[in-house]
Amino acid sequence: MQNGRVYTVSFAGISLAAIQDLFELTPADDKPIEIIGIELAQTGVADVGDAQEEFLRLEIIRGFTTSGSGGSAPTPSPIKRSAAAAGFAAEVNNTTVATTGTGVVLFETAWNVRAGYLNWFPEGCEPEASQANTTMVVRMTAAPNDAVTVSGTLWVREGG
């Protein structure tokens, strides 16, 4: 899907204190999507340079049929100013995570809250979903020991 349109979905200054779906994406009909990059950064000062530095697990999961809740629904922003509006729906920071359906873990990692996290997926290895696969989420799988203030951006390519 190298020729698709690229969009960002982001959130800023959110206090993370529990497991949550940081990003949730629902593809539109006949418009598959793929995650091409993700960045997370601590934007508060609570865990900077102290003994409470943590590594938090992240997963990208595809296959839920019901959305999570408790977050917000930002409008995906096109990278190119002349691009059409995104067809996919996005949600961020759902504190009630998506669980209905058959979730398949596509990617798992951990990020150091003090150092931040940046990942660009190699060409051909981008986690993808279509309307048939329903919702895809980027989930923080464990609660931090103490609340962490985080900002994040997800880069999403949409075909169709």
Short mmCIF file of all heavy atoms in Angstrom, two decimals, residues 89-115:
data_model
loop_
_atom_site.label_atom_id
_atom_site.label_comp_id
_atom_site.label_asym_id
_atom_site.label_seq_id
_atom_site.Cartn_x
_atom_site.Cartn_y
_atom_site.Cartn_z
N ALA A 89 -11.83 5.83 11.12
CA ALA A 89 -12.15 6.51 12.37
C ALA A 89 -11.04 6.26 13.37
O ALA A 89 -10.43 5.18 13.38
CB ALA A 89 -13.48 6.00 12.91
N ALA A 90 -10.78 7.24 14.22
CA ALA A 90 -9.72 7.11 15.23
C ALA A 90 -10.25 7.50 16.60
O ALA A 90 -11.11 8.39 16.72
CB ALA A 90 -8.53 7.99 14.85
N GLU A 91 -9.74 6.84 17.60
CA GLU A 91 -9.99 7.20 18.99
C GLU A 91 -8.65 7.15 19.71
O GLU A 91 -7.76 6.40 19.31
CB GLU A 91 -10.99 6.25 19.66
CG GLU A 91 -12.37 6.32 19.07
CD GLU A 91 -13.36 5.39 19.75
OE1 GLU A 91 -13.06 4.86 20.84
OE2 GLU A 91 -14.44 5.19 19.18
N VAL A 92 -8.52 7.93 20.77
CA VAL A 92 -7.30 7.92 21.57
C VAL A 92 -7.66 7.84 23.05
O VAL A 92 -8.71 8.31 23.47
CB VAL A 92 -6.42 9.17 21.31
CG1 VAL A 92 -5.88 9.18 19.89
CG2 VAL A 92 -7.15 10.46 21.61
N ASN A 93 -6.78 7.19 23.80
CA ASN A 93 -6.85 7.15 25.26
C ASN A 93 -8.13 6.54 25.81
O ASN A 93 -8.68 7.03 26.80
CB ASN A 93 -6.61 8.54 25.85
CG ASN A 93 -5.35 9.16 25.29
OD1 ASN A 93 -5.42 10.15 24.58
ND2 ASN A 93 -4.20 8.57 25.57
N ASN A 94 -8.58 5.44 25.20
CA ASN A 94 -9.74 4.73 25.74
C ASN A 94 -9.34 3.99 27.01
O ASN A 94 -8.50 3.09 26.97
CB ASN A 94 -10.31 3.75 24.71
CG ASN A 94 -11.16 4.44 23.68
OD1 ASN A 94 -11.66 5.53 23.90
ND2 ASN A 94 -11.35 3.79 22.55
N THR A 95 -9.95 4.36 28.11
CA THR A 95 -9.63 3.74 29.40
C THR A 95 -10.40 2.44 29.62
O THR A 95 -10.01 1.63 30.46
CB THR A 95 -9.91 4.71 30.56
OG1 THR A 95 -11.25 5.21 30.43
CG2 THR A 95 -8.93 5.90 30.51
N THR A 96 -11.47 2.23 28.87
CA THR A 96 -12.11 0.92 28.80
C THR A 96 -11.68 0.34 27.46
O THR A 96 -12.09 0.85 26.41
CB THR A 96 -13.65 1.02 28.88
OG1 THR A 96 -14.00 1.64 30.11
CG2 THR A 96 -14.29 -0.36 28.79
N VAL A 97 -10.81 -0.67 27.50
CA VAL A 97 -10.19 -1.16 26.27
C VAL A 97 -11.14 -2.03 25.46
O VAL A 97 -12.08 -2.62 26.00
CB VAL A 97 -8.88 -1.93 26.58
CG1 VAL A 97 -7.87 -1.02 27.26
CG2 VAL A 97 -9.15 -3.17 27.42
N ALA A 98 -10.89 -2.10 24.16
CA ALA A 98 -11.66 -2.99 23.27
C ALA A 98 -11.35 -4.43 23.64
O ALA A 98 -10.19 -4.79 23.85
CB ALA A 98 -11.28 -2.71 21.82
N THR A 99 -12.38 -5.27 23.75
CA THR A 99 -12.18 -6.68 24.10
C THR A 99 -13.01 -7.64 23.27
O THR A 99 -12.69 -8.82 23.21
CB THR A 99 -12.50 -6.93 25.59
OG1 THR A 99 -13.84 -6.52 25.85
CG2 THR A 99 -11.54 -6.19 26.50
N THR A 100 -14.09 -7.17 22.66
CA THR A 100 -14.98 -8.07 21.92
C THR A 100 -14.39 -8.39 20.57
O THR A 100 -13.94 -7.50 19.84
CB THR A 100 -16.36 -7.43 21.76
OG1 THR A 100 -16.86 -7.07 23.04
CG2 THR A 100 -17.33 -8.39 21.09
N GLY A 101 -14.39 -9.67 20.22
CA GLY A 101 -13.81 -10.12 18.96
C GLY A 101 -12.61 -11.01 19.23
O GLY A 101 -12.32 -11.36 20.37
N THR A 102 -11.91 -11.35 18.18
CA THR A 102 -10.74 -12.20 18.30
C THR A 102 -9.51 -11.36 18.01
O THR A 102 -9.11 -11.20 16.85
CB THR A 102 -10.83 -13.38 17.31
OG1 THR A 102 -12.06 -14.07 17.55
CG2 THR A 102 -9.67 -14.34 17.51
N GLY A 103 -8.93 -10.82 19.05
CA GLY A 103 -7.74 -10.00 18.90
C GLY A 103 -6.51 -10.82 18.59
O GLY A 103 -6.28 -11.87 19.20
N VAL A 104 -5.71 -10.34 17.65
CA VAL A 104 -4.46 -10.99 17.27
C VAL A 104 -3.34 -9.98 17.52
O VAL A 104 -3.37 -8.87 16.98
CB VAL A 104 -4.47 -11.41 15.79
CG1 VAL A 104 -3.13 -11.99 15.37
CG2 VAL A 104 -5.60 -12.38 15.51
N VAL A 105 -2.36 -10.36 18.34
CA VAL A 105 -1.24 -9.47 18.62
C VAL A 105 -0.29 -9.49 17.41
O VAL A 105 0.23 -10.53 17.03
CB VAL A 105 -0.49 -9.89 19.90
CG1 VAL A 105 0.74 -9.02 20.12
CG2 VAL A 105 -1.42 -9.83 21.11
N LEU A 106 -0.08 -8.32 16.82
CA LEU A 106 0.78 -8.19 15.65
C LEU A 106 2.18 -7.70 16.01
O LEU A 106 3.13 -7.93 15.26
CB LEU A 106 0.17 -7.19 14.65
CG LEU A 106 -1.23 -7.53 14.15
CD1 LEU A 106 -1.76 -6.40 13.28
CD2 LEU A 106 -1.23 -8.84 13.40
N PHE A 107 2.30 -7.02 17.15
CA PHE A 107 3.57 -6.41 17.53
C PHE A 107 3.56 -6.21 19.04
O PHE A 107 2.54 -5.84 19.61
CB PHE A 107 3.71 -5.06 16.81
CG PHE A 107 4.96 -4.31 17.13
CD1 PHE A 107 6.18 -4.67 16.58
CD2 PHE A 107 4.94 -3.22 17.98
CE1 PHE A 107 7.34 -3.96 16.87
CE2 PHE A 107 6.08 -2.49 18.27
CZ PHE A 107 7.29 -2.87 17.71
N GLU A 108 4.69 -6.49 19.66
CA GLU A 108 4.82 -6.26 21.10
C GLU A 108 6.21 -5.71 21.38
O GLU A 108 7.20 -6.16 20.81
CB GLU A 108 4.59 -7.55 21.88
CG GLU A 108 4.60 -7.30 23.37
CD GLU A 108 4.03 -8.45 24.17
OE1 GLU A 108 3.37 -9.33 23.60
OE2 GLU A 108 4.25 -8.45 25.38
N THR A 109 6.25 -4.73 22.28
CA THR A 109 7.51 -4.11 22.64
C THR A 109 7.36 -3.50 24.03
O THR A 109 6.34 -3.66 24.68
CB THR A 109 7.91 -3.04 21.60
OG1 THR A 109 9.25 -2.63 21.83
CG2 THR A 109 6.99 -1.84 21.62
N ALA A 110 8.37 -2.78 24.45
CA ALA A 110 8.30 -2.00 25.69
C ALA A 110 8.95 -0.65 25.42
O ALA A 110 9.84 -0.54 24.58
CB ALA A 110 9.02 -2.72 26.82
N TRP A 111 8.50 0.36 26.13
CA TRP A 111 9.11 1.68 25.98
C TRP A 111 9.51 2.23 27.34
O TRP A 111 8.85 2.03 28.33
CB TRP A 111 8.23 2.64 25.21
CG TRP A 111 6.96 3.07 25.86
CD1 TRP A 111 5.84 2.31 26.06
CD2 TRP A 111 6.65 4.36 26.39
NE1 TRP A 111 4.87 3.05 26.66
CE2 TRP A 111 5.34 4.31 26.89
CE3 TRP A 111 7.36 5.55 26.48
CZ2 TRP A 111 4.72 5.41 27.46
CZ3 TRP A 111 6.73 6.64 27.07
CH2 TRP A 111 5.44 6.57 27.54
N ASN A 112 10.64 2.89 27.34
CA ASN A 112 11.19 3.51 28.53
C ASN A 112 10.55 4.89 28.65
O ASN A 112 10.76 5.74 27.78
CB ASN A 112 12.71 3.61 28.38
CG ASN A 112 13.39 4.25 29.56
OD1 ASN A 112 12.88 5.19 30.17
ND2 ASN A 112 14.57 3.75 29.88
N VAL A 113 9.78 5.13 29.70
CA VAL A 113 9.05 6.39 29.80
C VAL A 113 9.98 7.59 29.88
O VAL A 113 9.61 8.69 29.50
CB VAL A 113 8.06 6.40 30.98
CG1 VAL A 113 6.99 5.35 30.80
CG2 VAL A 113 8.76 6.23 32.31
N ARG A 114 11.18 7.39 30.37
CA ARG A 114 12.13 8.50 30.46
C ARG A 114 12.75 8.83 29.10
O ARG A 114 12.99 9.98 28.77
CB ARG A 114 13.23 8.15 31.46
CG ARG A 114 14.12 9.31 31.77
CD ARG A 114 15.00 9.00 32.96
NE ARG A 114 16.28 9.64 32.76
CZ ARG A 114 17.43 9.13 33.12
NH1 ARG A 114 17.48 7.98 33.71
NH2 ARG A 114 18.53 9.79 32.91
N ALA A 115 13.02 7.81 28.31
CA ALA A 115 13.71 8.01 27.02
C ALA A 115 12.75 8.25 25.86
O ALA A 115 13.15 8.75 24.82
CB ALA A 115 14.58 6.79 26.71
#
